[in-house]
Amino acid sequence: MRSLSLIATVSVAVITAAAAAAAAADTNSQKVIPVSFGRSTTKQPALRRRVGTYSQELNNNLTGGGYYAQVTVGTPPQTVDLVVDTGSSDVWILDSRADLCGSKKKQNYYRYCLSTYDPSKSSTYSVVSRNDFSIRYVDGSGAEGDYIRDTFSIGGANIEHLQMGLAENSTINSGLLGIGFAANVAALTPYPNIMNLFQDQDLIAIQAYSLYLDDLYAETGTILFGGLDTQKFIGKLKTVDIEPDRSGNYSSFTVTLSSLTTTADNGTVTNYTRSVVPVILDSGTTLTYVPYTVANRIYRAFGAVDDTSRTGLVYINCEHLNNKNFTFDFQFGGKDGPIIRVPIDEMILDNVKAYIELGLDVPSLPFDNVCSFGLQGSAEYYLLGDTFLRSAYVVYDLTNKEIGLAQANLNSTESKIVEITESGIPDASGVASQVSATQTATGVPGTQSPTGTSSATPGSQSSEGASSKVVPVPSWEALVVACVASLGGFMGTGLIVL
Ligand SMILES: *[C@@H]1O[C@H](CO)[C@@H](O)[C@H](O)[C@H]1NC(C)=O
Ligand SMILES: *[C@@H]1O[C@H](CO)[C@@H](O)[C@H](O)[C@H]1NC(C)=O
Ligand SMILES: *[C@@H]1O[C@H](CO)[C@@H](O)[C@H](O)[C@H]1NC(C)=O
Ligand SMILES: *[C@@H]1O[C@H](CO)[C@@H](O)[C@H](O)[C@H]1NC(C)=O
Ligand SMILES: *[C@@H]1O[C@H](CO)[C@@H](O)[C@H](O)[C@H]1NC(C)=O
Ligand SMILES: *[C@@H]1O[C@H](CO)[C@@H](O)[C@H](O)[C@H]1NC(C)=O
């Protein structure tokens, strides 16, 4: 349902933030508190906090499309699920009295109201400013209400007095956990956002976290505040600089994509880029958006059909999935920069057949075995969303303006956590090669190249997006389209400040 937002992170009224900072406590003590999904966290004694790492499991909602973190807000704690969005910077939650939650009619358009928070049931709730919270995403979705403060817990970390939006009116069915730069908050009056408070309250040494979305078919990923997990990636973690926006501010996770090539099963490499492209790493976006020139070259090579103006999708022949070792290779920051290989079954999604049976009006296509493409063209802002991010282990260091990238070790159940200290992203090496969760015929855990296996079940997959151009209107046909969009079309990222 939600989609495309591109924008804004750069162009729109970027409000400067009092960048906070605050001296991080210098301690080597490492504290790891893994929190499993659904378990509420108990409050820590507020006596003396130690800098540590906080691991929060993320739910890859197979129908919701998007990665949710289960957090608690208020005293006593109320549990809410928030979409994790590296492309925006405000945390906001749905008020239990929000219009969407009380209207079946609205829920038919925007989906049922997920989890909400009732301020009257929290003893630590306070109002910052009435009616000042207003956030708009480029697809037209948004939320409005008050700015409030309350206690917030994630991954075992208790953050006090976090400023949040409390949505009274919303066209989005769950709140968002915006974890970008504070310079990008939607408020007219800048405020320290969650990343500032994480550091100011001595919970983590610097503003840094790692994101592991895991396999498309995996039910959970992990976000680790203040640390990284060397069991979750393959080879060396390489860093690239975050690029400032045009005004010289750091407002989004923009890095330079130096090349996008494909490697076929027979080893043939095809290069689709002719110049360096700034791209935003955005977990709140479902698909991957590259310049039209690059996308069109790739569409031609694959015989893909661009129907984004109508159904929001690019259709592609599922037969390409038979080239099991085929990869899309993204290189960042230049010749020696990190390379992330995205296996074909993370980019070509077998998720539209069920909707075609329901009556989705696909254009006439030169193939019968219809899949959708996880990569699309875009005019101005280029976003690498979940179809890219699942193949990468990404460390975001907001303090030193650096991103660490390595190939994700999919389906890893092991964990070896290293704290990120003031010196920034450590020179870390992960595991030697992919450890598959599935065993080989000999019973020896198989090692394989960073290429997934392809086995797709129609309709059972997660994220696949659709473009925002699909505005739900009350006709059956359009609703089917909207359903496809809601198969996962989340495009959080940049916001428009109204
Ligand atoms: C995930 O989707 C299911 C519907 O299949 C829904 O019941 C559940 O609440 C969703 N959870 C989250 C966190 O979105
Ligand atoms: C906003 O939501 C409130 C209920 O929370 C409702 O009374 C009001 O009509 C809504 N406003 C708009 C513009 O939809
Ligand atoms: C962001 O850019 C504007 C315009 O150049 C400048 O006035 C402002 O100070 C910058 N903000 C920060 C936080 O650097
Ligand atoms: C390698 O495979 C690609 C695509 O599958 C094909 O276009 C190309 O002709 C093949 N090249 C060789 C040398 O077999
Ligand atoms: C692809 O072409 C671009 C532009 O010519 C070049 O910078 C890049 O290094 C090439 N990629 C590879 C993997 O050769
Ligand atoms: C990861 O596990 C899922 C679910 O068990 C499986 O479908 C997928 O193929 C696995 N991926 C890899 C790369 O082993």
Side-chain angles (χ1 to χ4, degrees):
M1 98 142 44
R2 239 138 63 60
S3 19
L4 219 20
S5 31
L6 330 195
I7 309 282
T9 3
V10 196
S11 64
V12 186
V14 172
I15 295 135
T16 65
D26 184 18
T27 155
N28 291 323
S29 58
Q30 181 173 314
K31 190 173 51 175
V32 182
I33 308 176
V35 172
S36 56
F37 185 80
R39 191 182 118 195
S40 68
T41 52
T42 46
K43 202 160 158 49
Q44 267 178 276
L47 293 169
R48 185 159 157 71
R49 293 187 205 87
R50 297 181 309 165
V51 179
T53 63
Y54 302 88
S55 173
Q56 171 67 50
E57 201 168 318
L58 304 179
N59 186 26
N60 178 9
N61 199 299
L62 297 181
T63 52
Y67 287 82
Y68 293 86
Q70 191 162 78
V71 305
T72 67
V73 183
T75 313
Q78 300 177 37
T79 301
V80 289
D81 295 302
L82 303 177
V83 173
V84 176
D85 187 14
T86 60
S88 65
S89 303
D90 295 83
V91 173
W92 66 266
I93 49 185
L94 278 172
D95 191 320
S96 51
R97 295 161 307 178
D99 60 346
L100 177 62
C101 308
S103 162
K104 266 268 161 292
K105 201 166 145 226
K106 286 203 166 82
Q107 290 177 41
N108 284 339
Y109 288 164
Y110 304 113
R111 293 191 285 169
Y112 68 94
C113 211
L114 208 56
S115 47
T116 62
Y117 155 87
D118 182 350
S120 70
K121 295 201 171 114
S122 174
S123 63
T124 40
Y125 153 84
S126 65
V127 176
V128 176
S129 52
R130 294 252 179 237
N131 301 320
D132 268 357
F133 167 64
S134 175
I135 197 161
R136 279 283 171 279
Y137 300 87
V138 171
D139 61 352
S141 66
E144 281 165 26
D146 300 336
Y147 266 117
I148 64 151
R149 276 199 193 98
D150 208 337
T151 300
F152 185 93
S153 294
I154 180 167
N158 292 301
I159 298 165
E160 275 153 44
H161 310 297
L162 176 66
Q163 181 164 337
M164 290 171 275
L166 179 60
E168 297 293 338
N169 299 90
S170 177
T171 54
I172 303 172
N173 73 332
S174 82
L176 258 81
L177 178 72
I179 45 177
F181 289 105
N184 201 30
V185 295
L188 291 172
T189 312
Y191 67 89
N193 80 345
I194 185 169
M195 293 314 300
N196 294 134
L197 294 197
F198 245 117
Q199 187 186 25
D200 294 354
Q201 297 182 13
D202 289 342
L203 295 161
I204 57 180
I206 60 169
Q207 293 179 40
Y209 55 84
S210 312
L211 200 55
Y212 173 67
L213 298 186
D214 206 354
D215 194 89
L216 176 56
Y217 308 95
E219 284 174 8
T220 58
T222 312
I223 185 165
L224 190 59
F225 291 95
L228 56 89
D229 186 342
T230 60
Q231 288 293 314
K232 298 287 195 286
F233 60 91
I234 299 165
K236 269 197 90 57
L237 187 67
K238 290 187 174 178
T239 56
V240 292
D241 292 336
I242 298 174
E243 303 294 321
D245 61 28
R246 284 179 206 120
S247 61
N249 292 327
Y250 289 89
S251 54
S252 67
F253 297 121
T254 301
V255 295
T256 56
L257 176 67
S258 41
S259 84
L260 172 51
T261 58
T262 58
T263 307
D265 282 23
N266 60 18
T268 303
V269 173
T270 312
N271 193 344
Y272 291 100
T273 37
R274 308 226 166 111
S275 61
V276 163
V277 179
V279 292
I280 299 174
L281 301 175
D282 183 9
S283 71
T285 290
T286 314
L287 301 189
T288 292
Y289 295 85
V290 297
Y292 275 117
T293 50
V294 177
N296 288 335
R297 268 175 226 141
I298 296 176
Y299 294 168
R300 273 196 297 279
F302 283 81
V305 176
D306 183 347
D307 192 45
T308 48
S309 61
R310 248 174 29 91
T311 52
L313 299 175
V314 174
Y315 297 100
I316 191 166
N317 193 339
C318 300
E319 303 297 327
H320 291 296
L321 287 168
N322 295 331
N323 304 312
K324 294 200 186 319
N325 297 316
F326 193 101
T327 57
F328 293 84
D329 311 328
F330 294 75
Q331 183 163 34
F332 300 88
K335 280 255 175 294
D336 300 318
I339 298 173
I340 304 298
R341 294 180 194 276
V342 179
I344 195 150
D345 63 344
E346 294 277 352
M347 264 308 172
I348 294 182
L349 307 164
D350 193 355
N351 61 353
V352 288
K353 291 191 182 81
Y355 290 93
I356 293 173
E357 272 167 36
L358 280 173
L360 172 67
D361 185 20
V362 294
S364 83
L365 298 168
F367 44 85
D368 298 325
N369 195 358
V370 185
C371 277
S372 74
F373 206 4
L375 179 144
Q376 295 191 354
S378 168
E380 204 182 342
Y381 295 96
Y382 313 124
L383 301 175
L384 305 189
D386 297 341
T387 52
F388 165 82
L389 288 171
R390 274 188 283 269
S391 299
Y393 190 81
V394 188
V395 186
Y396 298 83
D397 177 349
L398 288 69
T399 300
N400 298 299
K401 319 282 190 288
E402 275 190 338
I403 300 263
L405 282 159
Q407 189 75 33
N409 180 22
L410 300 179
N411 289 335
S412 162
T413 50
E414 306 291 307
S415 194
K416 187 159 183 280
I417 291 170
V418 176
E419 194 179 328
I420 300 172
T421 63
E422 281 98 277
S423 44
I425 299 172
D427 212 10
S429 289
V431 299
S433 64
Q434 179 79 61
V435 178
S436 174
T438 45
Q439 306 242 305
T440 62
T442 58
V444 180
T447 50
Q448 52 182 65
S449 64
T451 305
T453 53
S454 76
S455 65
T457 326
S460 74
Q461 270 166 273
S462 96
S463 309
E464 165 20 3
S467 118
S468 40
K469 287 163 191 135
V470 184
V471 178
V473 291
S475 85
W476 185 75
E477 242 173 350
L479 280 177
V480 173
V481 174
C483 280
V484 172
S486 68
L487 244 173
F490 261 113
M491 312 216 26
T493 214
L495 26 116
I496 293 180
V497 182
L498 288 187

